[in-house]
Amino acid sequence: MSGETNSYEIVRRDPRAEWIARNRLHPLHGTISVGEEAEVRGPSGLIRKNPHKVGFIGPNGIKRIDRLKGNAAAAATGRRSGGAAQEVQLPLHKVENPDFSIFVVPDMVGGRLTSQDKDILGQAHKLARSDDGESAVQGVVVAVVFGELKDDSLDTAGVDRLIHLDGEEYQGYCPEQQLTALVHLDATYNPQNWLFPDSVHGGTDLGSRLAARLGERPAVQAWQVDKKTTVCRGASGSTDISRPTPRILLLAEECADPIDETRHEVQPIELGSVPRVISRMQDMGQVSVDPNAIPLAEAEFILSAGNGIHNWDQFHEAAEALGATEGASRVAVDDGFMPRFRQVGATGTWVTARVYIAVGISGAIQHMQGIGQCDKVIAINTDAGCDMVKRAALSAIGDSEEILAELLKLAREHKAGQSEGGDQNAA
Amino acid sequence: MPLNIVSLVSVGRHPQSGRERRAEQDGRAVELGMNLEASQSASMTVLHAGRSVEPVLRNYAGMGLPSLEVLELSEQDDAVPSLAQYLKASDADIVLTGVRAESGESSGMVPYLLAEELGWPLVPRIADIVSINNGVAEILLALPRGQRRSLSVPLPFVASVDNAAPAPRQSAYGPGMRASIDASQVTAVTDSAREQWQEAPAKPRPKRLKVVKAKTAADRFKAATAKPQGKAGKVMKNESAQEQAQEIFNLLLEEKVIK
């Protein structure tokens, strides 16, 4: 009986201590450590929460409650913490002894991977992956790059091995030399598949040349590819052709998702000598084109005018000196300063320029839609708070007439210097 | 010796109605050939591999052609062997084609296969043939973004004509009906590989969705509500106009839009 009463724990309350603990003004309040944690088991056995104990005092003396439950570090708090330090290192995908290889020839416009190139690298990895894991065959994705290489994201784009051909014979327009190199690679490595982007930047041309030389029948405009079957568009995009996957594939845009969860080795492969061919086509270089003859939608460099322009003669002069295609906002067109077909924006043309200079355009949402695909936007405006300045990579706040005058001067000096240099070279 | 030009034409397909029509690029190839005929005292043959009763051929003839050559083939036959055989027998200097046919497989391989078969250089996507002197042609290539590249190529060559070439002239009904269509029988090779394929009307391709890979609810919320604008760039407020202009000019040089 007595043993039973001993084991039965009697809760003894100390009303005075409880009273001191409740009364924060009591001189002994600090000595009593009841409820140091936010959650305590109360005398009746229920959990009691002390709201005063939740959270912590922040650096500015204000109480903060962490509702992310310790995930705040992963959430990269705000812009105060350095973004570079928080960058996550993706897991490295290693291929030691590949059973086969998939060769990809990206376009590399301006030495950088295009979005289509990245999609095609993703497709290459889909083909290289061993299916179902039952047979442990693993492929390696090899990228063949001609000429200049500026991209430093090849590892995250999914390049396992890299063959970089950068001799002087690969400068300029040289499809015959490139074809010779590809045929040489085909004979040396015998890849399972050749993947090319089906694009106007040269991928289609090179892929078709290789297919004709090797006597393979390529799949063109392929958009759904697995190891067995390929679906490609035929009859100018109006039919789907399902066929067994061929060795050479010319892939459409968005054929697969790009690689985004792994890092790859980018191991350079050294190549012995590639035979050189005497090109029958002689490259005479790019021809200067009248920038205003280029359709606005595909112009590379646009100088666009808005309500902030007052000296229109100067604007036209500047566009000519810089070699830019002229564009305009809706206001400039409505006021009759520019023709309707020069209008950029939702009701005008959706442009794809690489560099877009907006002079005196504050940036209505319709205009911003029209320049959504532009790479680098430069704003010249008097208002530092306008939307165009927020979008721009570089903004100059000031009078557009003065800045254009200075730009005009610089462009003319540059041109004069170039023609002098050209004369010296000729001499 | 007068120049011999062969333009290859095919049956086009209107992108909206799906009706048969004069193909855009093939029409441009014929137009380019006719312009050369006028300026270089060349002679042009317009060649079609397919059925000679095709009414679309009259649309090509209506551009002002006295006659058309047809290699009689059925729908299932491979056009390339017959074309190569014809071109080997002829003394053609320039073969003009479109970049890609608007019907059939439309792989764009015909000019490449012909060039490989004949051993001639292939010039892809030309915008114009500027001049032909002493057996060397000066050609303008159409590059993306309206740019042009100049090439010199020795005759003979195969060229595919881009949409940037001059638009074809209007086709007239009467002359088209009056033109003679000379069909010749050739040994047909059936395209056996294609018989295994399945063709269906094109399915619309799924649009790629923007997938947000966020770990926490706060991140997902931010991704869903944040304005899509990127981080603000460099703003020059207090610099003089000259400094601002210099900075802009440096960026233009760096992006290589100013040559």
Side-chain angles (χ1 to χ4, degrees):
Chain A
M1 194 67 185
S2 67
E4 269 186 42
T5 44
N6 275 351
S7 71
Y8 190 73
E9 202 184 331
I10 298 164
V11 180
R12 302 243 178 240
R13 298 180 65 182
D14 183 352
R16 182 168 178 274
E18 284 176 15
W19 172 66
I20 292 172
R22 276 204 303 278
N23 183 1
R24 278 176 293 160
L25 299 177
H26 195 279
L28 294 177
H29 177 72
T31 61
I32 287 178
S33 62
V34 171
E36 200 44 50
E37 294 116 43
E39 287 184 8
V40 274
R41 200 158 287 275
S44 59
L46 292 173
I47 284 183
R48 299 286 178 199
K49 283 187 182 172
N50 183 356
H52 296 295
K53 297 290 180 200
V54 172
F56 56 96
I57 304 298
N60 48 4
I62 297 173
K63 187 174 214 174
R64 298 287 179 201
I65 299 171
D66 179 18
R67 295 195 197 281
L68 288 173
K69 312 251 188 247
N71 287 325
T77 45
R79 66 177 79 126
R80 225 174 283 161
S81 63
Q86 295 280 336
E87 205 167 285
V88 200
Q89 188 83 304
L90 293 169
L92 185 66
H93 173 87
K94 271 194 170 176
V95 188
E96 301 286 353
N97 298 310
D99 299 295
F100 60 93
S101 57
I102 306 243
F103 274 50
V104 177
V105 188
D107 276 333
M108 304 298 283
V109 178
R112 295 198 178 87
L113 289 171
T114 62
S115 68
Q116 196 178 0
D117 291 343
K118 289 179 184 169
D119 296 347
I120 284 156
L121 285 165
Q123 177 67 61
H125 276 280
K126 264 171 81 179
L127 292 174
R129 223 173 286 152
S130 61
D131 35 2
D132 314 330
E134 53 186 36
S135 55
V137 277
Q138 199 182 19
V140 66
V141 174
V142 185
V144 184
V145 176
F146 294 107
E148 181 184 40
L149 174 62
K150 276 202 235 156
D151 207 313
D152 50 1
S153 68
L154 288 179
D155 53 344
T156 47
V159 177
D160 292 325
R161 308 275 190 275
L162 176 68
I163 297 175
H164 188 197
L165 295 164
D166 195 21
E168 45 131 356
E169 65 268 34
Y170 298 104
Q171 308 300 327
Y173 184 74
C174 52
E176 287 166 322
Q177 179 63 42
Q178 290 177 343
L179 173 65
T180 312
L182 292 184
V183 170
H184 177 73
L185 285 174
D186 189 75
T188 322
Y189 295 99
N190 191 27
Q192 181 182 293
N193 289 102
W194 280 98
L195 308 191
F196 292 87
D198 199 347
S199 70
V200 289
H201 297 289
T204 316
D205 182 44
L206 206 52
S208 306
R209 278 177 200 272
L210 184 67
R213 179 61 56 86
L214 298 180
E216 304 270 353
R217 191 158 184 175
V220 176
Q221 283 287 326
W223 61 278
Q224 214 175 55
V225 181
D226 57 28
K227 288 193 170 180
K228 299 214 172 60
T229 53
T230 293
V231 182
C232 52
R233 289 272 198 248
S236 60
S238 65
T239 56
D240 272 339
I241 303 173
S242 316
R243 50 182 286 189
T245 300
R247 215 170 143 238
I248 298 178
L249 288 154
L250 273 65
L251 295 149
E253 278 180 65
E254 299 195 358
C255 54
D257 288 326
I259 297 288
D260 57 351
E261 281 175 337
T262 46
R263 216 152 37 88
H264 296 258
E265 299 170 283
V266 201
Q267 245 176 46
I269 294 181
E270 285 306 322
L271 205 61
S273 62
V274 176
R276 284 184 72 155
V277 287
I278 299 158
S279 179
R280 286 174 290 185
M281 290 184 270
Q282 201 189 342
D283 182 14
M284 321 254 278
Q286 282 211 17
V287 184
S288 60
V289 186
D290 174 20
N292 280 333
I294 303 170
L296 196 55
E298 56 180 62
E300 190 174 30
F301 175 30
I302 296 177
L303 183 70
S304 199
N307 205 20
I309 292 273
H310 302 292
N311 188 347
W312 283 93
D313 293 337
Q314 186 204 32
F315 170 77
H316 294 307
E317 261 177 65
E320 201 193 330
L322 292 170
T325 309
E326 290 179 8
S329 75
R330 191 192 57 91
V331 185
V333 173
D334 280 359
D335 291 351
F337 292 115
M338 293 286 269
R340 183 60 74 187
F341 64 89
R342 293 264 165 233
Q343 185 181 330
V344 174
T347 36
T349 315
W350 292 48
V351 297
T352 56
R354 226 156 37 79
V355 179
Y356 183 87
I357 307 185
V359 190
I361 301 177
S362 58
I365 185 67
Q366 289 86 352
H367 194 82
M368 300 311 248
Q369 284 170 354
I371 63 168
Q373 289 186 53
C374 291
D375 224 11
K376 281 255 153 65
V377 176
I378 302 172
I380 300 176
N381 213 308
T382 48
D383 175 12
C386 65
D387 282 345
M388 187 59 84
V389 171
K390 284 176 194 156
R391 164 78 165 82
L394 176 67
S395 351
I397 310 301
D399 185 36
S400 66
E401 198 169 336
E402 279 174 30
I403 297 173
L404 277 186
E406 292 292 339
L407 259 181
L408 203 56
K409 211 191 284 174
L410 281 172
R412 283 183 179 149
E413 275 170 21
H414 180 77
K415 209 169 268 180
Q418 229 177 13
S419 62
E420 259 176 40
D423 290 345
Q424 279 168 3
N425 286 346
Chain B
M1 197 181 89
L3 219 53
N4 277 317
I5 303 167
V6 178
S7 285
L8 306 186
V9 297
S10 65
V11 179
R13 179 188 172 281
H14 192 274
Q16 261 74 46
S17 67
R19 282 168 70 173
E20 294 182 342
R21 65 161 184 184
R22 178 176 68 170
E24 287 272 287
Q25 290 161 345
D26 294 347
R28 285 176 159 80
V30 175
E31 175 72 28
L32 201 57
M34 291 177 88
N35 289 343
L36 281 179
E37 204 174 14
S39 65
Q40 300 278 342
S41 73
S43 70
M44 185 177 63
T45 316
V46 174
L47 181 63
H48 173 69
R51 297 185 305 136
S52 57
V53 291
E54 205 66 69
V56 178
L57 295 181
R58 298 284 171 191
N59 285 355
Y60 288 104
M63 291 169 75
L65 304 169
S67 68
L68 254 86
E69 299 261 344
V70 177
L71 306 178
E72 192 75 48
L73 292 176
S74 72
E75 191 113 322
Q76 292 83 29
D77 292 339
D78 192 353
V80 174
S82 331
L83 285 173
Q85 201 184 356
Y86 176 93
L87 290 173
K88 269 180 192 161
S90 74
D91 53 349
D93 296 305
I94 301 175
V95 177
L96 299 173
T97 71
V99 173
R100 221 163 241 191
E102 295 177 4
S103 52
E105 191 187 347
S106 80
S107 65
M109 284 298 290
V110 170
Y112 291 90
L113 292 171
L114 288 178
E116 198 62 40
E117 188 89 347
L118 299 167
W120 295 358
L122 175 107
V123 195
R125 294 189 171 269
I126 68 170
D128 205 359
I129 295 178
V130 182
S131 65
I132 299 170
N133 290 320
N134 306 324
V136 177
E138 198 190 328
I139 297 178
L140 277 186
L141 286 195
L143 304 183
R145 295 195 175 280
Q147 300 298 310
R148 299 278 184 274
R149 182 186 292 282
S150 177
L151 278 186
S152 68
V153 187
L155 298 177
F157 62 86
V158 183
S160 61
V161 179
D162 190 81
N163 280 336
R169 63 193 70 183
Q170 200 175 350
S171 173
Y173 179 74
M177 296 309 281
R178 283 194 291 279
S180 69
I181 290 184
D182 314 327
S184 48
Q185 295 299 323
V186 287
T187 47
V189 182
T190 311
D191 188 355
S192 53
R194 210 179 146 186
E195 285 169 0
Q196 322 295 325
W197 302 354
Q198 283 136 34
E199 282 188 46
K203 272 189 295 182
R205 286 178 60 184
K207 281 225 175 70
R208 182 177 282 176
L209 297 173
K210 201 181 131 201
V211 180
V212 180
K213 284 188 176 167
K215 291 263 176 355
T216 58
D219 275 354
R220 281 193 294 276
F221 183 72
K222 205 186 285 169
T225 55
K227 272 191 184 175
Q229 63 194 14
K231 52 212 176 290
K234 186 181 174 191
V235 180
M236 292 182 293
K237 244 180 209 176
N238 302 317
E239 287 88 342
S240 70
Q242 200 188 349
E243 283 165 354
Q244 290 174 335
Q246 186 66 52
E247 190 72 33
I248 292 172
F249 199 72
N250 289 346
L251 181 68
L252 297 182
L253 285 178
E254 191 188 307
E255 288 292 324
K256 290 187 178 168
V257 286
I258 292 184
K259 280 137 206 157

